[in-house]
Amino acid sequence: MLLQPRDGHGRPAGQHGQPLLTAQVQSRHDASLSYSGLVRAVGEGRVRELQWSPGSKRVQATFEDGSRQIFAVFEENQSLLQAAEAADVPYDVVDSSQRTAATGLLGNLLMVLLILFGLSFVLRRSARVANRAMGFGRSQPRLRDQGEVTVRLEDVAGINEAKEALQEVVTFLKEPERFTAVGARIPKGVLLVGPPGTGKTLLAKAIAGEAGVPFFSMSASEFVEMFVGVGASRVRDLFRKAKAKAPCIVFIDEIDAVGRQRGAGIGGGNDEREQTLNQLLTEMDGFDENAGVILLAATNRADVLDLALLRPGRFDRQIAVELPDRRGREAILSVHARSRPISPEVSLAQWAKRTPGFSGADLANLLNEAAILTARRQDSAIDDSHLDDALERVTMGLRAAPLQDSAKKRLIGYHEVGHALLTTLLEHADELDKVTLLPRSGGVGGFARMTPNEEVLDSGLVTRAWLRDRMVVAMGGRAAELVVFGPQEITQGASSDIRMVTGIAREMVARYGLSELGPLALERDGGEVFLGRDLLLQRPAYSERTCQAIDAQVQSLAKQSLAQACDLLAARRPLLDALTDELIEAETIEGARFRAVVAAFDQANSGDSKAVAATAPV
């Protein structure tokens, strides 16, 4: 057993007679050393190495146990140097000037880079603002180069007359020499006029796609800005770009935004919209003969356009894009059905018959709603039930919660059956499609839906008999309430019907000359949309006595319609009750079933109407 030497206090002694400490205790002791303590530690041989950095006035001491500590020292450290030399401790001097210089240089370089980045950001932003300010006068048309327009005339259905009228435009763009050889000049501007949703924009794209020429499209509202002169500058820029791409087609949608009659507002000639129109007229006159640039425009308000815009040499050709007829609707449905799974049982011809007055956009929306319902019900194909629900959603709104059996439900039932029964009885009324008590959003408790007379819609001509029957049908709800509940129990449910009857009666008296006042047009079309003209409207062109006569005739027509409706329903009170009971029970009666019940009742001419309703064929 080896014994370690001990000092006078009985503690183990080291080589120099000093107490031995463990690494943990030594580290703690060294960590609390001062400069003088460091000198003593060096002299005692407890320091393995010293590194002095004169630039930072720091000394790093490495002790025997491997721990390190940094001490702040003076510029002159003779005592420390002497102690290190005496104890033979390695002493290194570290030159930190180069490191300090490199660090300073790197910091300065980083500062310069930050300044340059900030300056470049400010300059780029200023340049964008300047370019935007300078670019106010530049037009931003949507350009589709040759071959990029994929729509063709075969993709446009239901407007065959308009397509035929535009065939010569396609021929001119493809073979201009056929026209120039005989001195013919193609119209510079073609104006497409028609109700919204009839396919004017689609037709313009189809012309460009069929001819295979570049297609510029822009809305007229994009020309007008709050800055004076911007609209005229954009018009010039648009035509400059079009001439560079000739032959091409320039399409301006909703041209009535800038093409309204000048001098109609308060601004006068300094109005920005009028300056834009003046520049448009000038550019159209500036076209070279047969330059190959054809301007197409679309509007649904041709009556408000400036006459200078419609004269020969500008928009000298107007093409009406009307609502499609039955065959047109069937063709449109066929086009949209190409991309949708349609059940073989669906007859597009029958649905074309059930949708008179629908535009191409309405028919596309109908099929889209039917497709949505098909997906929600997880069916694989669109059938008649989907289309029927989609038709009700499009025309009447979303379905609401069913009515509970109550006095309100019975009153609404009588109201709707009154409409449905009168439209079935009257010769010139529209055909009943269905009557239902299923409410719709917007406060509609039920409705009787009629299929409009397609002959009237297609021809645009209405007869006095058709108008009178329409007024009687509209009064059917109020008449049913009077017959069943009496004059003290009628409600305001017929308010919209009464407004419609009043409007029809006033049109018959004051515009159509279909009253006892004779063939007099006492009122003009109230379609002015200009603020200046609204402020300067003149008084009616007839006397106060004539005004009283007009009011008397309107009242007479409305009262006659209500009286006729009451007489027809009162004579068929049992049938009215039976149909209302069946409607409350089934909530929906189709038009075919309804007409069968009425026909059976009229044939029997007496008896229990409920028994007749039960035995009537469906």
Side-chain angles (χ1 to χ4, degrees):
M1 179 176 181
L2 298 178
L3 297 177
Q4 293 181 350
R6 299 181 177 270
D7 59 6
H9 299 282
R11 293 174 296 186
Q15 295 177 355
H16 302 284
Q18 299 296 330
L20 295 177
L21 301 176
T22 62
Q24 181 178 7
V25 174
Q26 184 71 34
S27 176
R28 292 178 180 174
H29 176 73
D30 293 342
S32 61
L33 289 178
S34 61
Y35 176 77
S36 59
L38 175 63
V39 174
R40 287 196 303 270
V42 171
E44 295 171 355
R46 291 188 288 115
V47 177
R48 183 188 304 172
E49 183 183 5
L50 290 175
Q51 289 185 351
W52 180 34
S53 177
S56 60
K57 298 180 180 181
R58 294 286 188 273
V59 170
Q60 177 178 299
T62 304
F63 294 92
E64 291 293 337
D65 59 355
S67 63
R68 292 185 178 136
Q69 185 175 352
I70 297 176
F71 298 87
V73 297
F74 305 102
E75 293 182 1
E76 299 293 337
N77 300 283
Q78 298 299 326
S79 58
L80 181 61
L81 294 175
Q82 293 174 1
E85 291 177 357
D88 196 16
V89 176
Y91 190 87
D92 294 334
V93 178
V94 179
D95 187 8
S96 60
S97 59
Q98 295 181 355
R99 182 183 304 173
T100 304
T103 304
L105 179 61
L106 182 61
N108 294 334
L109 181 60
L110 182 61
M111 182 63 67
V112 171
L113 291 177
L114 289 176
I115 293 174
L116 292 177
F117 177 76
L119 289 176
S120 63
F121 176 77
V122 172
L123 291 176
R124 284 199 303 268
R125 186 168 185 178
S126 301
R128 284 197 300 267
V129 172
N131 290 335
R132 188 160 55 247
M134 297 299 295
F136 273 124
R138 299 175 185 174
S139 64
Q140 299 295 331
R142 289 165 289 278
L143 171 62
R144 296 189 179 183
D145 286 326
Q146 183 175 356
E148 292 185 4
V149 181
T150 58
V151 182
R152 298 293 184 268
L153 287 176
E154 62 182 11
D155 300 323
V156 183
I159 47 177
N160 295 328
E161 295 79 5
K163 289 166 59 176
E164 293 177 0
L166 288 172
Q167 281 288 353
E168 62 185 27
V169 175
V170 177
T171 306
F172 173 80
L173 292 173
K174 286 184 175 181
E175 304 174 9
E177 62 276 1
R178 290 178 51 183
F179 295 87
T180 58
V182 296
R185 180 179 61 83
I186 199 69
K188 295 181 180 180
V190 179
L191 184 63
L192 305 178
V193 183
T198 52
K200 299 183 291 296
T201 303
L202 183 64
L203 183 59
K205 291 181 180 179
I207 296 300
E210 196 74 24
V213 297
F215 181 71
F216 291 87
S217 62
M218 194 171 181
S219 174
S221 59
E222 298 179 29
F223 288 113
V224 182
E225 287 279 356
M226 63 179 292
F227 302 101
V228 177
V230 171
S233 178
R234 289 182 176 179
V235 170
R236 290 192 297 269
D237 186 66
L238 173 63
F239 282 95
R240 179 183 57 81
K241 293 178 180 179
K243 291 176 183 179
K245 289 282 187 177
C248 66
I249 288 179
V250 177
F251 176 66
I252 302 177
D253 198 8
E254 303 296 343
I255 195 173
D256 52 277
V258 296
R260 293 180 179 177
Q261 297 179 18
R262 291 168 291 181
I266 297 180
N270 292 326
D271 183 55
E272 170 65 11
R273 179 186 58 79
E274 295 191 3
Q275 291 188 22
T276 305
L277 174 59
N278 292 336
Q279 186 62 45
L280 179 61
L281 298 176
T282 303
E283 289 293 334
M284 294 188 71
D285 279 339
F287 274 3
D288 297 331
E289 294 296 329
N290 298 317
V293 179
I294 297 179
L295 183 61
L296 296 181
T299 182
N300 52 13
R301 292 298 308 272
D303 56 313
V304 303
L305 295 180
D306 195 276
L307 296 180
L309 197 63
L310 304 178
R311 74 159 177 81
R314 289 169 180 158
F315 285 107
D316 49 3
R317 178 166 300 185
Q318 299 185 31
I319 297 178
V321 185
E322 301 292 346
L323 293 173
D325 56 10
R326 183 186 300 180
R327 292 184 179 179
R329 293 193 297 273
E330 183 178 357
I332 294 174
L333 289 173
S334 300
V335 170
H336 291 291
R338 296 174 186 172
S339 58
R340 295 177 175 87
I342 304 296
S343 175
E345 289 77 14
V346 174
S347 173
L348 296 181
Q350 185 65 27
W351 279 101
K353 181 180 179 181
R354 292 185 61 182
T355 53
F358 274 44
S359 64
D362 294 331
L363 295 172
N365 187 36
L366 174 66
L367 283 181
N368 184 62
E369 290 290 343
I372 292 175
L373 291 175
T374 303
R376 289 181 57 186
R377 298 173 185 175
Q378 298 183 355
D379 295 331
S380 58
I382 301 174
D383 56 21
D384 287 325
S385 63
H386 302 136
L387 287 169
D388 190 70
D389 292 342
L391 181 62
E392 290 189 3
R393 175 177 291 190
V394 170
T395 56
M396 302 302 300
L398 297 176
R399 182 175 297 181
L403 295 173
Q404 301 297 324
D405 292 336
S406 61
K408 177 182 177 181
K409 186 174 183 180
R410 179 163 292 275
L411 187 146
I412 295 176
Y414 274 110
H415 184 103
E416 302 302 336
V417 169
H419 289 303
L421 185 55
L422 288 176
T423 195
T424 305
L425 296 174
L426 296 174
E427 179 182 359
H428 302 284
D430 296 330
E431 184 179 3
L432 177 67
D433 184 42
K434 72 178 344 181
V435 57
T436 181
L437 285 180
L438 296 176
R440 295 287 166 172
S441 59
V444 179
F447 60 89
R449 188 175 67 202
M450 290 79 173
T451 301
N453 191 331
E454 192 168 2
E455 295 181 359
V456 174
L457 291 177
D458 291 342
S459 64
L461 300 175
V462 294
T463 62
R464 182 177 183 179
W466 184 81
L467 291 173
R468 290 297 301 271
D469 285 357
R470 192 176 185 187
M471 294 170 62
V472 174
V473 172
M475 286 293 190
R478 172 58 63 87
E481 294 180 10
L482 284 170
V483 170
V484 177
F485 302 103
Q488 300 300 323
E489 297 297 329
I490 59 176
T491 67
Q492 88 289 357
S495 59
S496 60
D497 301 329
I498 295 174
R499 285 197 300 269
M500 184 178 70
V501 169
T502 304
I504 295 175
R506 182 164 290 275
E507 295 281 314
M508 292 176 63
V509 174
R511 293 187 59 193
Y512 302 151
L514 299 178
S515 68
E516 296 180 359
L517 294 181
L520 298 176
L522 301 173
E523 292 183 358
R524 295 174 293 182
D525 294 336
E528 300 296 348
V529 293
F530 307 115
L531 177 62
R533 292 186 178 180
D534 287 340
L535 293 176
L536 301 176
L537 285 178
Q538 299 180 356
R539 62 185 303 273
Y542 46 82
S543 64
E544 184 66 25
R545 182 177 179 181
T546 304
C547 182
Q548 295 176 1
I550 293 175
D551 293 340
Q553 286 293 314
V554 171
Q555 293 176 11
S556 176
L557 289 174
K559 291 180 179 179
Q560 291 175 14
S561 300
L562 180 60
Q564 184 179 355
C566 290
D567 293 342
L568 289 173
L569 295 181
R572 293 167 175 79
R573 174 63 188 274
L575 177 61
L576 181 64
D577 294 335
L579 288 171
T580 302
D581 292 339
E582 181 175 348
L583 180 61
I584 293 175
E585 180 68 24
E587 292 190 334
T588 299
I589 303 178
E590 298 295 334
R593 165 68 179 174
F594 197 96
R595 286 187 292 273
V597 174
V598 175
F601 178 87
D602 288 342
Q603 184 177 3
N605 198 22
S606 62
D608 189 0
S609 61
K610 294 184 179 181
V612 174
T615 58
V618 179

